[in-house]
DNA sequence: ATTTTGTGTAAACATTAGGTTAACATGGAA
DNA sequence: TTCCATGTTAACCTAATGTTTACACAAAAT
């Protein structure tokens, strides 16, 4: 199964670097966005919820380290991967960076090939998610192979999108999925649908299941709970 | 750090390096084992099931890359973390290494400090999938993934802003956050809200938690304390 | 080809929880 | 006292979500 393209945000004040990295990463099938300083990085991160953020350390209007700290202090960026770029092989700041919560560290001058493979390595590890297993949660069974949901043995027919939605949420019970996440996982990043579309599907699932197992976290997203 | 100590296996043919790394990692509380060539590395890996394996690329009786490939082909080593050490900043082998399934890559000459922080960063990343980012402070648990707070197992529902506020304060217990800091972290720099807004949210959190864990530092800000 | 059925999306509207404000209360320090 | 910073409360307003209906489109059935 082809996953949806990952979103990557790159922040650097040097346009050349921005372009080289963008080019190489989009060629790999990533969806690349850019920012040219710290504040813009934060702003765009909040809109986009990228899967990975590549931060130059030395940037105007907030350094990469500062940006990282600010984002990491917010719950919704706990899962976001962060890679630092730095001109100096300055050991101290390298350590500082990693302790701040970065996931990797790449020295300039940047080799596009190396960067690309590090990015892949990061995603490979994170992506090792469960796939295609039958979920059993309380009295609810969700079988992605048979494309079937049953409650207490009673079968329920869901439409494709409804099923995908339920399966996504149920794959990590309790975990809150942001609307953005849901969109990019189920619809893909490039597809544009209206704001109410998710709600409508959520409603249908709730209605069909009868059981109240999807909780709304207002301003954030939805989660599966029993 | 809680939980059982992590097991780390180090494979290198230079005794000096082995010793330096072992020393530094065991000082950090890791359980360290060593191997002096590729075959020994595989053997010990099978006995020990380490959480992390640090492999020198250039080793007699199977290179690090070969060891990595062999281990990765077995299901039980799918999740094991692997770091490569290399003498050269040889780009080609670096890429090869990462594509082979390594999780990180460190160049020689090795700085113990850098290695140690990379190791920590790796574990943090992996641990994060479950509980790493959950804050546990006394009897209070704050789980940003589930967007949920519980005291003595009793779940408490917070609104978004309330949760963000609590999470921010609790992320650095004892540290005082200035009102300005709080504003810029949670509301953003451009948003303007009245003076009382923070107080009101603080109040709601205090009220909902029941426990008195947010202290006012008059004229300065707020801090989380138990 | 035509009809039927089901799905996904949009648009319009209803509803509510969350966030903010404003007005007033308190309490400590100078 | 008089200030000033923060606490408290309740009313208000809005953004976010819920709900319903309608329609386009495709697949299946006729």
């Amino acid at each position: 199964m082809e996953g949806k393209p990952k979103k990557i945000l790159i922040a650097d004040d040097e346009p050349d670097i921005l372009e080289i990295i963008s080019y190489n990463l989009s060629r790999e099938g990533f969806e690349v966005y850019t920012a040219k300083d710290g504040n813009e990085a934060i702003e765009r991160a909040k809109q986009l919820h990228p899967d990975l953020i590549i931060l130059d350390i030395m940037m105007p209007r907030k350094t990469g380290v500062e940006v990282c700290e600010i984002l990491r202090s917010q719950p919704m960026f706990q899962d976001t991967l962060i890679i630092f770029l730095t001109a100096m092989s300055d050991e101290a700041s390298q350590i500082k960076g990693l302790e701040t919560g970065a996931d990797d560290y790449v020295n300039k001058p940047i080799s596009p090939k190396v960067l690309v493979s590090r990015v892949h390595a990061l995603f490979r590890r994170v992506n090792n998610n469960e796939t295609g297993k039958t979920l059993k949660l309380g009295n609810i069974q969700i079988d992605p192979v048979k494309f079937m949901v049953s409650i207490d043995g009673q079968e329920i027919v869901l439409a494709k999108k409804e099923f995908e939605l339920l399966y996504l949420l149920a794959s990590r019970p309790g975990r809150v999925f942001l609307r953005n996440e849901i969109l990019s996982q189920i619809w893909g990043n490039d597809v544009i649908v209206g704001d109410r579309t998710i709600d409508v599907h959520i409603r249908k699932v709730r209605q069909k299941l009868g059981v109240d197992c999807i909780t709304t976290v207002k301003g954030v997203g939805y989660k599966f709970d029993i």
Side-chain angles (χ1 to χ4, degrees), chain A:
Chain A
M1 161 149 70
E2 260 304 320
K4 306 290 184 285
K6 301 285 188 183
K7 280 184 278 189
I8 301 181
L9 173 63
I10 312 172
D12 198 315
D13 55 329
E14 297 170 62
D16 296 349
I17 300 219
L18 228 45
E19 196 184 332
I20 292 179
I21 300 181
S22 303
Y23 171 72
N24 281 280
L25 287 177
S26 27
R27 220 180 36 175
E28 294 286 318
F30 296 108
E31 226 172 280
V32 182
Y33 305 87
T34 60
K36 53 187 178 306
D37 61 55
N39 282 340
E40 196 182 326
I42 294 177
E43 213 173 282
R44 302 221 67 190
K46 285 184 180 170
Q47 309 169 342
L48 297 165
H49 287 284
D51 302 287
L52 164 67
I53 305 178
I54 301 178
L55 290 171
D56 188 26
I57 298 267
M58 297 298 286
M59 279 189 298
R61 313 208 306 152
K62 291 203 173 53
T63 68
V65 175
E66 287 171 315
V67 173
C68 179
E69 275 170 350
I70 289 172
L71 292 180
R72 275 280 191 261
S73 73
Q74 301 196 223
M76 57 176 68
F77 291 103
Q78 292 290 338
D79 280 340
T80 313
L81 296 171
I82 294 181
I83 294 182
F84 278 136
L85 302 180
T86 183
M88 54 213 163
S89 50
D90 174 4
E91 184 175 310
S93 70
Q94 194 170 143
I95 293 170
K96 179 82 186 296
L98 288 172
E99 299 300 348
T100 303
D103 297 291
D104 206 348
Y105 207 96
V106 176
N107 284 321
K108 292 184 184 179
I110 292 164
S111 150
K113 285 185 189 171
V114 168
L115 182 62
V116 165
S117 38
R118 295 200 96 109
V119 168
H120 276 130
L122 268 186
F123 279 132
R124 177 164 1 98
R125 175 137 303 282
V126 171
N127 235 5
N128 268 347
N129 289 343
E130 61 289 329
T131 44
K133 296 176 203 160
T134 299
L135 302 174
K136 293 173 192 169
L137 302 149
N139 52 357
I140 303 177
Q141 277 205 2
I142 308 175
D143 186 340
V145 180
K146 296 181 186 171
F147 215 84
M148 200 200 72
V149 178
S150 57
I151 299 183
D152 296 323
Q154 182 83 78
E155 294 193 7
I156 295 172
V157 180
L158 294 187
K160 190 180 167 209
K161 280 272 188 305
E162 291 160 14
F163 187 89
E164 288 176 338
L165 185 52
L166 177 62
Y167 189 76
L168 176 66
L169 295 181
S171 67
R172 297 217 184 178
R175 158 162 182 187
V176 176
F177 289 82
L178 312 180
R179 282 165 161 268
N180 276 325
E181 280 182 285
I182 297 176
L183 279 179
S184 66
Q185 293 274 333
I186 297 188
W187 276 266
N189 293 314
D190 36 359
V191 184
I192 300 167
V193 292
D195 320 10
R196 301 273 60 73
T197 303
I198 292 185
D199 311 349
V200 173
H201 287 288
I202 289 276
R203 179 172 179 279
K204 286 184 186 161
V205 174
R206 280 175 171 157
Q207 197 171 265
K208 286 192 181 174
L209 291 199
V211 193
D212 181 34
C213 56
I214 297 179
T215 310
T216 305
V217 184
K218 220 178 158 170
V220 188
Y222 296 92
K223 66 176 171 179
F224 186 95
D225 254 328
I226 322 191

